[in-house]
Amino acid sequence: MRITFLGIGLMGDPMVRRLLAAGHAVTVWNRTFAKAQALADAGALPVAKLDDALRDASIVISMLENGPIVAQVMQDALPSLAPQALWVDMSSTQQAEAQAFHALLRGQGHRFVDAPVSGGVGGAAAGTLAIMAGGSVDDFEQLLPIFSAMGRPTLVGPAGSGQVAKLCNQLIVGATINIVAEAMLLAQAAGADPAAMRTAIRGGFAESKILDVHGQRMLERNFVAGGKVATQVKDQRNILAAAAAAGVVLPVTALVTERFEALAEQLPQADHSAALLGLEGLNPGLRVGSGADRI
């Protein structure tokens, strides 16, 4: 069973490496061919043309920037897809987009699972991604050996449900990053050591992966992108779109979205922990730590 993987970016590269390490045969394609070629030494088969990459592939995995790009690549790919091909979109898109992809592929005799991930580049490299899948039970079970090479998969419902779970994840991540930034700045301004404060509260109810990873980033003032501000803005807007479609008002998420949108005007490519920089901008003269910013 040959896998074709479309999209070799920050996440796609380590995800493919995990698949190869697990013994899967993987063909890789990227619009910038050099990124696909970089995986040849790891055992992947880089292919420059999309139609050639799709030939005889029973499983197609896409990890692309956003829903419109997934839609364009999917339209371009349709004539070359093998009968009953199973397309797994691991990108982060809107729920409505995932449902539209499902309808399009099903109408052409193919199958679809949306399976966005959480865990960042580090989780992709370690094979510990949280994988949230939406699709049929049979398709999910067929994909288990593939998903398990990359992380911990969970079937959360029918097509489109994976994207809902990812949006819930990003809702919590985006809000918590901003709250951790506020805690860091409050500790600094009130005379406490932010690093010692973080150590003191760990193990209590405030403990989280965000406090661990992004709290450390803020202390080190390391804002080199793992997850980009621009990507978080996209996710925040998708959350609000899903909420509107479901008839739900999310006032805290709306405020968090505004904060990331303001930050994106200046630092779209910075890590989303740069929320601290946006907060410091609202508090002139206050700054966590004394180190130089890395962006």
Side-chain angles (χ1 to χ4, degrees), residues 180-293:
V180 168
E182 292 188 5
M184 290 289 185
L185 194 63
L186 174 60
Q188 183 80 43
D193 179 348
M197 175 278 295
R198 174 172 167 270
T199 299
I201 67 176
R202 295 188 68 180
F205 283 172
E207 178 67 280
S208 70
K209 192 75 170 180
I210 299 298
L211 181 64
D212 178 19
V213 175
H214 293 289
Q216 186 64 34
R217 274 180 164 271
M218 292 174 191
L219 289 170
E220 296 173 354
R221 304 194 70 83
N222 174 14
F223 307 117
V224 176
K228 297 178 182 179
V229 170
T231 302
Q232 187 67 39
V233 168
K234 178 202 70 174
D235 291 339
Q236 294 292 141
R237 290 172 175 169
N238 285 347
I239 294 164
L240 293 178
V248 178
V249 176
L250 302 177
V252 174
T253 298
L255 179 59
V256 171
T257 302
E258 291 176 6
R259 297 304 311 138
F260 276 116
E261 286 176 337
L263 184 60
E265 292 178 3
Q266 296 180 316
L267 298 169
Q269 301 305 308
D271 187 82
H272 44 200
S273 60
L276 176 65
L277 297 177
L279 180 63
E280 290 172 344
L282 297 176
N283 294 273
L286 293 178
R287 189 172 187 273
V288 173
S290 59
D293 293 343

Side-chain angles (χ1 to χ4, degrees), residues 116-134:
V117 303
S118 179
V121 176
T128 58
L129 292 172
I131 303 171
M132 298 149 273

Side-chain angles (χ1 to χ4, degrees), residues 4 74 215 260:
T4 290
M74 191 174 289
F260 276 116

Side-chain angles (χ1 to χ4, degrees), residues 12-292:
D13 183 291
M15 291 167 72
V16 169
R17 292 181 188 276
R18 295 298 307 187
L19 292 171
L20 293 168
H24 296 290
V26 186
T27 297
V28 291
W29 173 89
N30 195 75
R31 286 178 296 181
T32 303
F33 182 52
K35 292 183 178 180
Q37 281 183 307
L39 286 165
D41 289 346
L45 174 63
V47 176
K49 294 183 178 180
L50 180 61
D51 55 348
D52 291 336
L54 295 166
R55 189 169 293 118
D56 300 325
S58 56
I59 305 290
V60 177
I61 299 175
S62 52
M63 188 63 175
L64 301 166
E65 186 174 354
N66 55 43
I69 293 177
V70 175
Q72 183 59 62
V73 172
M74 191 174 289
Q75 285 287 352
D76 293 342
L78 277 175
S80 303
L81 285 180
Q84 279 294 301
L86 175 52
W87 189 300
V88 187
D89 184 35
M90 304 189 79
S91 320
S92 293
T93 72
Q94 295 184 19
Q95 177 189 16
E97 289 172 325
Q99 291 169 333
F101 300 151
H102 174 253
L104 173 65
L105 288 166
R106 185 174 181 180
Q108 298 289 324
H110 306 298
R111 297 171 292 152
F112 176 79
V113 169
D114 56 301
V117 303
S118 179
V121 176
T128 58
L129 292 172
I131 303 171
M132 298 149 273
S136 74
V137 173
D138 288 344
D139 289 341
F140 177 74
E141 289 182 350
Q142 181 183 349
L143 292 167
L144 276 176
I146 294 170
F147 285 154
S148 296
M150 296 182 285
R152 177 180 55 82
T154 304
L155 181 64
V156 294
S161 299
Q163 296 299 342
V164 173
K166 175 61 185 287
L167 292 178
C168 291
N169 179 86
Q170 294 305 93
L171 182 158
I172 295 169
V173 167
T176 307
I177 285 174
N178 279 270
I179 292 299
V180 168
E182 292 188 5
M184 290 289 185
L185 194 63
L186 174 60
Q188 183 80 43
D193 179 348
M197 175 278 295
R198 174 172 167 270
T199 299
I201 67 176
R202 295 188 68 180
F205 283 172
E207 178 67 280
S208 70
K209 192 75 170 180
I210 299 298
L211 181 64
D212 178 19
V213 175
H214 293 289
Q216 186 64 34
R217 274 180 164 271
M218 292 174 191
L219 289 170
E220 296 173 354
R221 304 194 70 83
N222 174 14
F223 307 117
V224 176
K228 297 178 182 179
V229 170
T231 302
Q232 187 67 39
V233 168
K234 178 202 70 174
D235 291 339
Q236 294 292 141
R237 290 172 175 169
N238 285 347
I239 294 164
L240 293 178
V248 178
V249 176
L250 302 177
V252 174
T253 298
L255 179 59
V256 171
T257 302
E258 291 176 6
R259 297 304 311 138
F260 276 116
E261 286 176 337
L263 184 60
E265 292 178 3
Q266 296 180 316
L267 298 169
Q269 301 305 308
D271 187 82
H272 44 200
S273 60
L276 176 65
L277 297 177
L279 180 63
E280 290 172 344
L282 297 176
N283 294 273
L286 293 178
R287 189 172 187 273
V288 173
S290 59

